[in-house]
Amino acid sequence: MAANQSSEWRTVCEKLSLAQELSEVESRKDPENNPFRSKYKARDLLKEIHCSLKKNQIEEEGEADNEADCKCRQMVDEEPENDECGKSCSGDSPAGLRAARLAVVQYYLGLNHIETEELSAGEQHLMNCMKLIDKCTTTRENVSLFIQARNQLGILWAGRDEIEKAQGFLEIAESMYLLYMREDGQPPLDLQDFFVLEGEELSQQEKIRRFEMAYTHTLYYLAQVYKNLQQYERAGQYCHSTLQRQLEYKQFVPLEWAINAATLSQYYITKTRYMEARHCLAAASVIATLAGEIPSEAAAKESDAECEKREELLQKRAEIARCWINYCLNLMQDAKKLLEDNIGELDLDRQEELKRAHRNEEEENEKGRKSTILFGSSDTFDSICSLEEKVSSMLPLDFEEARSIFLVGQSYVVQAKEYFAMDGHVTDHIEILQDHSALFKVLAFFEQDLERRCKMHKRRVDMLEPVCKDLNAQYYLLICRQLQFELAETYYEMMDMKLAVADKQDQPDVHTIKKFNHLCSSSMNYYQMFLDSIRSPEGKFSEKLEDDLLRPALVAKFRVARLQSKFISSNLATQLENLTHSLESYNFVVQYCEENPEAKKAVETELELSIEMVSLLPLKINRIGSKIASCN
Amino acid sequence: MASASVKVAVRVRPFNSREMGKESKCIIQMSGNTTRIINPKQPKESKSFNFDYSYWSHTTPEDVNFACQKQVYKDIGEEMLLHAFEGYNVCIFAYGQTGAGKSYTMMGKQEKDQEGIIPLLCEDLFTKITDNNDNSMSYSVEVSYMEIYCERVRDLLNPKNKGNLRVREHPLMGPYVEDLSKLAVTSYNDIQDLMDSGNKARTVAATNMNETSSRSHAVFNIIFTQKRHDSDTDNTSEKVSKISLVDLAGSERADSTGAKGTRLKEGANINKSLTTLGKVISALAENKKKKKVESFIPYRDSVLTWLLRENLGGNSRTAMVAALSPADINYDETLSTLRYADRAKQIRCNAVINEDPNNRLVRELKEEVARLKDLLYSQGLGDIIESESPVMHFKLFPLRFKCCKESYPMSKANILCTYIIRNQWVRQL
């Protein structure tokens, strides 16, 4: 392009780069009362460029008119398929290039208007841009522009709540990329390539980077469109692809990428896709290490920057550890759901059945899925794989399998607690403890030996009880309630187990009875603490329970009723007293539901049984009464 | 008990001079607790919202419907102060577009009848303390004042402390800001002086660093301690409550400052920059409609949400005042403020109590019920259960047992005991 080297052309190129500079760098310093000053200046420059291009075009087209006929014939001869789509010229012909160059300016003008909140005008320029290049076939000259213009139109229409329209533009951009890569695949021209002087062109590598970047954005915008259309499955896929491409083209900030991948793992967990979840987590852990060494405590004391860096690295790593904990926990809990019978015990027949059938099938299944989700460039791939091998992504079917997942989870608990210490991070620390307790709880499900199982529950009590006692309910009311409830249930569970153990004995000894009563009263105390937290400062029990407390409160009362009747005492009077309390508690449930009929639905079974007990317990009480009387 | 969710009020101010100059039309109507907004482009289209209070302050005190500063304080401030004396943490926050009248409602002007909630509440607090005649009671009041800008916390009572203060949690003292100065005050004048100097620090900092106050949140905390000394037992008991008064950044800046209070649903907008990918992914992970699966989202809430967490979910009382501009030119902003306020009514942190399934217990009890019924029928008493209401039973029986209990000689109990224990293990009867 001889004309390009003229001084006139030089001015055009300089104007464009000045406009870019104004729009992207200068504009950040614009004063608050004139926030778009530099953008407006850039707009004026773009308009001038547009004018001179237009002028040139008319001149050049005049000269070219004579040749036009033969050129067109030639083109048709060479590439007959172009005619089919009704394109008037090829993207790489002089006319196509002229059109593309004008279209680039229209694109920049479009962006400029959108950024200055003149959306309709911006849309108009983008549509002009699109029309100009739509006249030509898509070639490496205009394919990048084709995609970027549609990206922008997608954003624009999504902002107007016309998601389907946005989807249309973005999906065209997506298929154009795929088509181009299939048919041509050479590094395409970047927008900037249209306005550079000879010798200042972008390198091939930079061209590829920018083109791939544009497409990564297309996928990212599509992810958001699908999210807004509530097509979560697809949105997840597109987020995954976005992450894959960021890694592949090295367009990422390690810590940010790692956190995003870890978050994506949580999405997969909700979909019970553990192989994918594990891959995301392994990649997150590996990529996080690329963020550099954690500054030492000494270095952090020296400078604020080092201190902040240390804090950030430690925090993010601890957060990734928490994502791992959640992975292990959910994997085990899902297995439990599959293996338990109707009272929550391990169903041995089912276990056998699953062990035989599931395995091979699943593994095959996962191999098929795996290839599409892999993360990692050559340098990180091995580390990601070796991290993956440390924990299974299959549902554990027996104690040994469950235990190995438990141990991994537990090691991440230790890691996460290091940063999220009680002092300074109360809520996070306790959440981690709750996860740890939940890990023990689900592990206990797989344990067949009652004594050992009981010990696992004891571990839960040991980790939660001190925290529960130390916490100020004025600030952490919700956590306190959760802890009280969990402790009550854990003691209840232990009581049940002690009972089962004792049942096997012929004659339970005094020690066992004492232990049993202790577990009963501990469980009851925590239920009672939970119930007391619902009282007003004056100690009045709320007449109407809140929705989210309704069921827990009535269940707590129901369980208290049961516990009160479970106490073992040799003293008939004590027995009478316990049973009378039990009756009162059952009656509380019945009366509450009578006064608040809307509560019935939340506690149907419990209510039904409470009604029965309220009518039948007196009989039992009566019998003890007569025994006492007869002894008189 | 934190049964009450957030109490929400909206308040519309008079036209300002700029709006008068433009001959703006008023697009807000109020009747009772309902606020209606009219779309100036389609005057037939209007939207209504119900709040705990809708304050009409668009006109002058001559208007019978006019809500003055005193009235707003009486409805909201007085109640909150009462809760503080009961020992609750309380929080009042103001929300709305810059210039919609947030500061007027919260601070007001230093003229008669023009003072806002904060000065009136402080004045009332000290009046109540001085009026107290109970010698066993003693009180102390401390204040802190901070600003949150771009997720950084700055101490307004010690502006020299320029660094970013860290937000932390203590198991007994709750969430706190590390190294934030806390100053003891003994009168309303002290508070006023501190607030003034803090406000100055706020604006000075703003011009130095090219930040304007509308972008930052200001949180004024009053830590109120009541001590009761029991002279008989020589015990001292203490009640500490925190009163937080929060002036939120202008709602139009909500995005840039993360002022959202709680995360609210975003529209169909597409985020351009890949740096927000995380947000999109968290939205996916949080969407668990079908299955109740817990996911852990490794994103910190904004500092403000974090500090207010206890107010939204803990043992505390919270009120919000949303300030509205009456002018047609502000339609979009005002509508979005109303929507925010509408959602704030439901803001609460839920205590998710994960309970174990009751199945085993249910089975046990069903067995017991069956056993007891068998027993009844075998004694020919089956008709009793069918004819009488359960509650009646409950009322009849205990009386009889009381008599038994008292007349029961202990010595004979021992004879029975082995038998009963065995029975209890085996049959629970």
Side-chain angles (χ1 to χ4, degrees):
Chain A
M1 290 171 216
N4 291 359
Q5 294 312 312
S6 67
S7 67
E8 201 184 330
W9 176 245
R10 181 175 290 272
T11 324
V12 168
C13 292
E14 279 165 2
K15 270 186 190 165
L16 192 93
S17 76
L18 181 59
Q20 299 281 73
E21 171 83 10
L22 279 167
S23 178
E24 271 149 39
V25 183
E26 250 345 90
S27 67
R28 283 187 214 142
K29 300 174 207 154
D30 286 340
E32 192 139 284
N33 56 10
N34 194 358
F36 300 134
R37 192 173 63 185
S38 307
K39 296 265 181 200
Y40 292 146
K41 279 189 198 160
R43 183 192 294 183
D44 291 341
L45 288 170
L46 288 168
K47 279 185 179 159
E48 284 172 27
I49 297 169
H50 187 254
C51 273
S52 47
L53 286 182
K54 263 286 195 217
K55 209 178 77 195
N56 276 351
Q57 192 182 15
I58 293 164
E59 284 168 15
E60 281 181 36
E61 269 169 6
E63 284 170 29
D65 253 358
N66 303 330
E67 311 160 37
D69 272 346
C70 65
K71 255 228 170 115
C72 260
R73 213 177 307 129
Q74 206 181 346
M75 205 176 72
V76 172
D77 287 345
E78 278 170 16
E79 294 167 286
E81 71 273 12
N82 288 345
D83 248 355
E84 286 166 32
C85 349
K87 309 279 185 186
S88 64
C89 68
S90 162
D92 56 357
S93 68
L97 280 173
R98 272 197 302 273
R101 190 172 295 123
L102 260 184
V104 169
V105 181
Q106 289 285 359
Y107 174 83
Y108 284 138
L109 277 168
L111 275 194
N112 182 285
H113 281 87
I114 289 169
E115 283 163 357
T116 51
E117 294 165 5
E118 294 169 41
L119 295 186
S120 310
E123 181 198 348
Q124 200 51 53
H125 283 291
L126 289 174
M127 292 308 281
N128 291 345
C129 162
M130 235 175 62
K131 274 181 207 144
L132 281 166
I133 46 174
D134 278 357
K135 280 185 196 149
C136 311
T137 55
T138 308
T139 59
R140 79 188 60 153
E141 282 71 23
N142 59 22
V143 65
S144 188
L145 184 58
F146 183 102
I147 288 170
Q148 292 191 46
R150 273 152 181 98
N151 280 355
Q152 293 302 332
L153 283 162
I155 296 174
L156 183 83
W157 283 104
R160 290 172 172 167
D161 262 336
E162 301 251 8
I163 316 178
E164 278 88 1
K165 213 158 181 172
Q167 183 187 4
F169 282 115
L170 293 167
E171 283 177 350
I172 289 174
E174 181 189 28
S175 43
M176 179 51 81
Y177 171 85
L178 297 172
L179 182 73
Y180 177 79
M181 293 309 274
R182 201 168 55 229
E183 310 264 296
D184 187 327
Q186 293 301 306
L189 250 55
D190 184 61
L191 274 51
Q192 209 182 306
D193 284 322
F194 286 93
F195 295 93
V196 286
L197 298 169
E198 207 167 321
E200 288 173 16
E201 293 93 352
L202 296 171
S203 68
Q204 295 292 80
Q205 247 177 333
E206 181 62 16
K207 280 182 193 172
I208 297 174
R209 200 189 69 84
R210 292 194 182 190
F211 180 57
E212 297 294 350
M213 181 85 140
Y215 180 60
T216 306
H217 279 92
T218 308
L219 296 182
Y220 173 51
Y221 300 153
L222 274 172
Q224 298 182 61
V225 162
Y226 294 139
K227 185 200 87 184
N228 291 336
L229 290 171
Q230 298 184 327
Q231 300 179 15
Y232 298 110
E233 194 89 11
R234 277 182 104 178
Q237 274 167 28
Y238 277 79
C239 285
H240 197 117
S241 309
T242 307
L243 285 173
Q244 272 177 320
R245 294 180 54 86
Q246 281 187 290
L247 210 57
E248 192 178 343
Y249 296 99
K250 305 215 177 335
Q251 297 157 347
F252 66 96
V253 180
L255 226 40
E256 188 185 286
W257 192 96
I259 288 294
N260 288 344
T263 313
L264 190 61
S265 77
Q266 303 300 297
Y267 159 75
Y268 283 125
I269 289 172
T270 65
K271 298 276 161 202
T272 63
R273 283 159 66 178
Y274 290 103
M275 192 257 302
E276 285 88 342
R278 182 181 67 174
H279 192 63
C280 287
L281 284 168
S285 291
V286 170
I287 300 298
T289 61
L290 300 182
E293 287 290 303
I294 298 172
S296 67
E297 228 170 308
K301 271 183 192 142
E302 291 293 304
S303 96
D304 279 352
E306 290 292 287
C307 178
E308 250 173 62
K309 188 178 176 197
R310 181 183 154 84
E311 176 76 16
E312 194 190 14
L313 283 171
L314 287 173
Q315 182 187 324
K316 302 286 176 197
R317 284 184 195 183
E319 273 165 3
I320 294 170
R322 290 192 62 184
C323 290
W324 273 111
I325 299 171
N326 204 39
Y327 166 86
C328 296
L329 187 57
N330 275 283
L331 189 60
M332 290 170 77
Q333 284 174 340
D334 275 352
K336 173 176 180 268
K337 274 177 220 150
L338 209 60
L339 290 166
E340 71 190 350
D341 60 16
N342 58 7
I343 54 159
E345 293 286 333
L346 183 61
D347 185 332
L348 296 171
D349 295 339
R350 231 184 125 57
Q351 185 182 30
E352 271 311 299
E353 189 189 320
L354 285 170
K355 270 187 161 176
R356 254 180 286 124
H358 249 56
R359 273 292 121 93
N360 302 333
E361 217 175 286
E362 284 254 312
E363 267 164 22
E364 280 309 304
N365 213 341
E366 294 209 340
K367 264 182 212 150
R369 264 158 48 211
K370 182 126 192 183
S371 58
T372 59
I373 60 131
L374 288 182
F375 284 125
S377 41
S378 47
D379 47 336
T380 49
F381 190 73
D382 288 345
S383 345
I384 294 176
C385 286
S386 73
L387 196 55
E388 275 186 297
E389 278 159 23
K390 292 196 174 137
V391 59
S392 166
S393 66
M394 297 287 172
L395 297 180
L397 295 179
D398 58 29
F399 180 75
E400 278 314 310
E401 289 177 352
R403 184 169 171 275
S404 72
I405 296 167
F406 168 86
L407 288 175
V408 173
Q410 187 166 251
S411 73
Y412 282 113
V413 165
V414 174
Q415 207 178 314
K417 276 201 299 193
E418 253 171 58
Y419 176 79
F420 291 116
M422 187 66 161
D423 179 22
H425 302 275
V426 176
T427 310
D428 289 290
H429 184 82
I430 293 176
E431 279 168 6
I432 296 166
L433 289 182
Q434 286 173 318
D435 282 349
H436 196 184
S437 161
L439 280 169
F440 267 112
K441 183 177 171 187
V442 65
L443 181 67
F445 165 80
F446 288 92
E447 174 61 77
Q448 290 302 290
D449 182 277
L450 283 180
E451 292 287 351
R452 291 223 307 258
R453 202 197 285 187
C454 206
K455 281 199 181 108
M456 292 177 189
H457 289 298
K458 182 73 174 48
R459 288 288 300 275
R460 300 173 59 202
V461 167
D462 290 344
M463 67 178 81
L464 298 179
E465 202 158 47
V467 178
C468 185
K469 283 186 175 138
D470 282 350
L471 212 55
N472 185 346
Q474 188 170 12
Y475 294 103
Y476 305 101
L477 179 69
L478 304 184
I479 303 176
C480 283
R481 283 185 185 155
Q482 285 177 341
L483 291 174
Q484 287 154 357
F485 209 89
E486 181 164 357
L487 280 164
E489 287 192 326
T490 314
Y491 273 121
Y492 195 101
E493 187 81 28
M494 290 168 73
M495 177 273 290
D496 252 359
M497 262 167 236
K498 270 277 162 310
L499 189 62
V501 172
D503 258 347
K504 288 180 189 155
Q505 295 173 1
D506 205 26
Q507 180 88 37
D509 54 47
V510 182
H511 176 73
T512 312
I513 292 174
K514 223 175 134 185
K515 178 83 192 163
F516 174 86
N517 279 344
H518 167 71
L519 292 171
C520 262
S521 70
S522 300
S523 176
M524 222 169 72
N525 283 345
Y526 279 110
Y527 278 126
Q528 204 50 59
M529 274 162 83
F530 170 76
L531 289 165
D532 287 344
S533 83
I534 305 175
R535 291 172 197 272
S536 67
E538 296 80 41
K540 256 201 272 165
F541 202 83
S542 157
E543 273 171 35
K544 203 160 163 44
L545 293 161
E546 281 171 79
D547 287 347
D548 51 346
L549 282 172
L550 176 68
R551 182 166 165 81
L554 291 180
V555 166
K557 206 72 189 178
F558 178 67
R559 293 225 165 198
V560 166
R562 180 64 180 159
L563 284 160
Q564 273 156 334
S565 71
K566 282 224 163 195
F567 275 111
I568 300 169
S569 167
S570 56
N571 185 333
L572 282 176
T574 314
Q575 283 180 33
L576 259 187
E577 203 183 323
N578 288 338
L579 284 182
T580 313
H581 283 150
S582 174
L583 183 59
E584 275 167 23
S585 297
Y586 281 124
N587 200 52
F588 179 93
V589 176
V590 176
Q591 280 201 318
Y592 184 88
C593 290
E594 252 169 39
E595 281 155 28
N596 303 276
E598 73 283 354
K600 285 180 185 165
K601 259 186 135 170
V603 286
E604 248 171 310
T605 321
E606 289 80 4
L607 176 61
E608 200 182 298
L609 286 166
S610 298
I611 292 175
E612 298 264 30
M613 290 312 281
V614 167
S615 73
L616 292 170
L617 256 192
L619 172 72
K620 201 163 153 181
I621 293 171
N622 202 10
R623 272 169 66 97
I624 297 176
S626 7
K627 265 175 218 155
I628 293 173
S630 71
C631 293
N632 249 334
Chain B
M1 225 301 297
S3 68
S5 44
V6 178
K7 201 156 253 188
V8 182
V10 297
R11 188 181 196 191
V12 61
R13 62 154 168 77
F15 285 130
N16 60 27
S17 52
R18 198 171 70 93
E19 289 160 351
M20 300 244 248
K22 285 194 168 181
E23 293 184 1
S24 300
K25 289 191 186 69
C26 176
I27 53 164
I28 298 291
Q29 294 173 356
M30 286 178 174
S31 90
N33 297 334
T34 307
T35 296
R36 182 188 297 277
I37 183 167
I38 296 141
N39 184 346
K41 285 180 200 134
Q42 286 145 314
K44 275 181 200 155
E45 194 187 291
S46 72
K47 291 190 177 69
S48 294
F49 299 89
N50 287 314
F51 300 104
D52 293 304
Y53 304 101
S54 287
Y55 291 119
W56 179 254
S57 305
H58 181 59
T59 46
T60 51
E62 283 73 50
D63 184 347
V64 280
N65 294 317
F66 183 83
C68 61
Q69 295 281 62
K70 262 264 155 51
Q71 162 135 35
V72 177
Y73 174 72
K74 265 197 155 9
D75 292 339
I76 296 170
E78 265 184 12
E79 188 191 322
M80 289 297 153
L81 188 60
L82 202 71
H83 289 313
F85 271 89
E86 289 167 348
Y88 285 110
N89 292 331
V90 304
C91 175
I92 304 174
F93 62 103
Y95 180 80
Q97 190 185 357
T98 306
K102 281 185 311 250
S103 298
Y104 178 72
T105 295
M106 292 300 271
M107 296 298 302
K109 293 184 202 149
Q110 284 185 17
E111 291 160 29
K112 192 176 176 289
D113 296 332
Q114 294 290 309
E115 289 171 311
I117 294 176
I118 296 181
L120 289 174
L121 187 141
C122 294
E123 213 176 333
D124 226 10
L125 171 70
F126 280 105
T127 317
K128 282 204 162 96
I129 290 176
T130 5
D131 284 357
N132 170 62
N133 296 323
D134 186 348
N135 283 333
S136 66
M137 292 297 293
S138 62
Y139 303 91
S140 73
V141 182
E142 290 168 305
V143 300
S144 66
Y145 197 12
M146 67 184 147
E147 179 179 53
I148 304 169
Y149 174 72
C150 287
E151 297 302 295
R152 290 176 167 263
V153 182
R154 211 156 43 195
D155 190 345
L156 287 175
L157 297 184
N158 182 13
K160 276 179 209 148
N161 191 348
K162 282 231 169 67
N164 176 27
L165 304 182
R166 291 214 292 171
V167 223
R168 296 168 67 82
E169 283 176 321
H170 187 277
L172 290 176
M173 273 119 62
Y176 67 100
V177 177
E178 204 172 39
D179 299 328
L180 181 70
S181 29
K182 244 196 276 178
L183 304 178
V185 288
T186 52
S187 70
Y188 168 57
N189 285 340
D190 287 354
I191 290 194
Q192 203 170 32
D193 289 348
L194 286 172
M195 216 179 269
D196 281 351
S197 78
N199 284 341
K200 270 179 205 141
R202 212 178 154 186
T203 32
V204 169
T207 50
N208 279 348
M209 300 177 60
N210 192 24
E211 293 165 9
T212 61
S213 60
S214 72
R215 289 184 186 217
S216 72
H217 312 296
V219 182
F220 191 84
N221 282 322
I222 303 169
I223 297 107
F224 173 49
T225 311
Q226 309 172 71
K227 278 191 191 138
R228 177 184 294 278
H229 183 78
D230 189 330
S231 49
D232 298 336
T233 58
D234 205 32
N235 275 339
T236 305
S237 60
E238 205 179 75
K239 250 198 279 192
V240 184
S241 45
K242 192 162 89 179
I243 305 169
S244 305
L245 305 156
V246 185
D247 194 353
L248 290 177
S251 53
E252 69 279 12
R253 302 281 185 200
D255 272 324
S256 59
T257 48
K260 294 182 190 164
T262 58
R263 260 184 280 172
L264 300 172
K265 193 181 169 292
E266 287 166 17
N269 274 329
I270 287 185
N271 288 304
K272 282 191 180 191
S273 156
L274 278 168
T275 51
T276 52
L277 175 62
K279 264 197 200 164
V280 181
I281 300 176
S282 349
L284 295 181
E286 272 175 350
N287 171 64
K288 40 192 165 188
K289 235 187 285 168
K290 280 185 211 148
K291 275 184 74 193
K292 214 183 146 197
V293 175
E294 296 283 323
S295 57
F296 171 69
I297 312 293
Y299 286 89
R300 304 281 100 187
D301 287 337
S302 74
V303 169
L304 186 74
T305 316
W306 197 88
L307 278 174
L308 294 183
R309 185 159 59 186
E310 55 175 295
N311 296 103
L312 300 174
N315 218 351
S316 73
R317 303 284 167 161
T318 302
M320 170 172 133
V321 185
L324 308 175
S325 154
D328 48 359
I329 44 169
N330 291 324
Y331 172 72
D332 290 319
E333 277 298 342
T334 306
L335 180 61
S336 103
T337 303
L338 281 168
R339 289 204 169 121
Y340 184 98
D342 195 43
R343 290 197 196 112
K345 287 190 295 197
Q346 286 117 42
I347 293 179
R348 286 169 58 201
C349 297
N350 290 328
V352 183
I353 308 275
N354 293 315
E355 48 166 298
D356 283 344
N358 268 328
N359 300 1
R360 193 205 310 264
L361 169 56
V362 165
R363 194 180 67 177
E364 269 174 30
L365 267 176
K366 278 188 176 158
E367 283 166 11
E368 179 161 353
V369 165
R371 255 196 325 270
L372 286 169
K373 274 188 178 165
D374 281 352
L375 192 73
L376 261 188
Y377 283 111
S378 71
Q379 293 177 353
L381 296 167
D383 50 325
I384 293 179
I385 344 169
E386 271 134 40
S387 61
E388 282 179 44
S389 91
V391 182
M392 277 300 288
H393 265 282
F394 175 62
K395 283 176 183 154
L396 283 176
F397 281 93
L399 281 174
R400 282 174 47 196
F401 302 133
K402 257 200 179 139
C403 318
C404 306
K405 216 161 99 184
E406 276 153 16
S407 58
Y408 185 65
M410 284 309 291
S411 57
K412 287 191 184 170
N414 296 330
I415 309 166
L416 276 170
C417 104
T418 328
Y419 164 74
I420 289 169
I421 290 172
R422 283 296 298 159
N423 231 15
Q424 208 151 16
W425 280 115
V426 181
R427 309 197 53 195
Q428 293 294 310
L429 183 69

